[in-house]
Amino acid sequence: MKRSPNTYFQFKQFRVEQERCAMKVSTDAVVLGSLAVAKTIPDTILDIGTGTGVLALMMAQKYPVASIDAVEIDKEAFEQARQNVSFNKLGINIKVHQQAFQEFEPSNIEQYDLIITNPPYYSGQLQSSKQNINLARHEQGLNFTDLWTGIDRLLKTEGVIWLILPPNEMEAFKSLGTEKGFYANTQTLLQDRETSKVHRVIASFARIKPDEPEKSALVIKDANNAYTPEYIALLKDYMLHF
C-alpha cells in the first residue's frame, strides 16, 4: 500500500474514515505505528499531528491501558480523528485535541513515556494551493525546531520519541535533536524494493546515548511485486489481509 484513495481504511481491529483528511492512511503511518515501541509498558502516549487518528489507534491496540493524547491543528482532520476514536472500541483511552502543538499543554499529566509523530516535511518544495495539505506536508505549521522544543518539554527523562521522515530531513532532524541532548537509538531504512533508493527513515530518539544505534532495513516488495515476508510479519497484527 502507498496511500489509500478510499473514504475509509479497514484494519484488523479498527476502521479509519479519512475522507475529510488531507493526508490519507499510508505506508509511512502503518510502518511507523508497527515499529514504534516504548522502553517499558507506557502509561502515557502523545501523537503529534494525528490526522485521521491512525497512529493513536495503533498505539491503543499495542498498549491498551495507556492514556493517549492526540493533537491536530486542522479542524477537518481533528473532527475526523475524533469521529474515528469515538467509533472504535480501541479509542476509549484516546483524547483528541484541536490546537497547534506549540501551544499544547496536557491537562492531567506533565510528561509522556512515548511520543509518536509522522511530521510535516518537504519544506523547500512547491506547496499546494490547499491550506490543509500544506499544513500536513510542509513545515509552515510545525518546523523541526518547534517540534524538538515541544518534545524536550513533554517527554519524560527516560521516554522515547518515534517518527518517520525522508533521509535528508531525518538527518536535519537528528542534528537538531543532538543539540537538545537527544540521540538516535534505532534506525530503520525503508525501501520499496531492494533495488530502490531508501525513501523513508524510521527512527527512535532518547536522551540516553547508546553505544551504537540499532540499524536495520525494511524492503516492502520483492522482485515479483509481492510483499516481503519481513513486511508482512511487521504489519500482521494490524493489516486486514496479512
Side-chain angles (χ1 to χ4, degrees):
M1 59 171 287
K2 282 297 183 184
R3 182 175 292 119
S4 173
N6 297 330
T7 60
Y8 69 91
F9 195 97
Q10 185 67 50
F11 290 84
K12 281 183 177 177
Q13 294 192 31
F14 59 92
R15 173 169 167 155
V16 173
E17 301 289 343
Q18 57 183 6
E19 75 277 1
R20 300 174 69 176
C21 292
M23 300 304 290
K24 312 302 183 186
V25 174
S26 67
T27 300
D28 285 9
V30 295
V31 171
L32 172 61
S34 298
L35 281 171
V37 291
K39 292 185 178 296
T40 58
I41 296 176
D43 295 319
T44 54
I45 300 173
L46 174 63
D47 175 17
I48 304 169
T50 195
T52 61
V54 61
L55 286 174
L57 286 162
M58 291 181 77
M59 292 300 98
Q61 178 179 327
K62 188 175 294 188
Y63 299 114
V65 300
S67 175
I68 301 173
D69 283 317
V71 181
E72 175 56 54
I73 190 173
D74 180 72
K75 184 176 185 295
E76 289 292 309
F78 159 74
E79 291 181 352
Q80 185 96 81
R82 188 170 60 174
Q83 175 191 38
N84 285 328
V85 165
S86 65
F87 286 0
N88 286 288
K89 61 181 181 180
L90 288 174
I92 188 169
N93 293 326
I94 302 173
K95 185 174 182 180
V96 187
H97 309 262
Q98 188 198 355
Q99 63 186 128
F101 173 62
Q102 295 93 326
E103 301 169 359
F104 175 67
E105 293 286 348
S107 54
N108 298 322
I109 64 165
E110 292 184 1
Q111 293 179 311
Y112 296 89
D113 298 300
L114 171 65
I115 295 178
I116 188 169
T117 182
N118 184 358
Y121 52 86
Y122 298 142
S123 58
Q125 297 189 17
L126 182 65
Q127 296 194 9
S128 167
S129 60
K130 294 184 179 179
Q131 181 65 15
N132 59 346
I133 294 178
N134 283 334
L135 285 171
R137 286 184 176 168
H138 296 268
E139 287 187 34
Q140 66 175 49
L142 178 61
N143 62 50
F144 289 167
T145 299
D146 288 349
L147 185 55
W148 269 123
T149 298
I151 291 167
D152 189 33
R153 174 172 59 91
L154 293 170
L155 188 67
K156 289 181 180 179
T157 302
E158 67 280 9
V160 60
I161 160 75
W162 283 82
L163 79 162
I164 183 169
L165 284 169
N168 289 342
E169 283 76 1
M170 184 61 81
E171 285 305 309
F173 186 81
K174 187 186 300 183
S175 295
L176 287 170
T178 302
E179 295 175 9
K180 290 281 189 182
F182 285 85
Y183 305 95
N185 280 211
T186 65
Q187 178 175 286
T188 300
L189 307 181
L190 186 62
Q191 298 169 261
D192 283 327
R193 291 169 178 78
E194 283 191 358
T195 55
S196 304
K197 290 182 179 179
V198 173
H199 66 280
R200 295 288 186 272
V201 180
I202 305 98
S204 68
F205 294 83
R207 291 183 175 90
I208 299 172
K209 187 176 184 179
D211 293 333
E212 190 68 34
E214 295 179 21
K215 295 184 178 181
S216 61
L218 178 65
V219 179
I220 297 173
K221 290 186 176 182
D222 62 21
N224 297 316
N225 207 36
Y227 290 119
T228 62
E230 294 79 12
Y231 185 76
I232 292 172
L234 177 65
L235 272 61
K236 64 181 175 59
D237 289 342
Y238 299 98
M239 301 300 288
L240 193 60
H241 302 296
F242 283 3

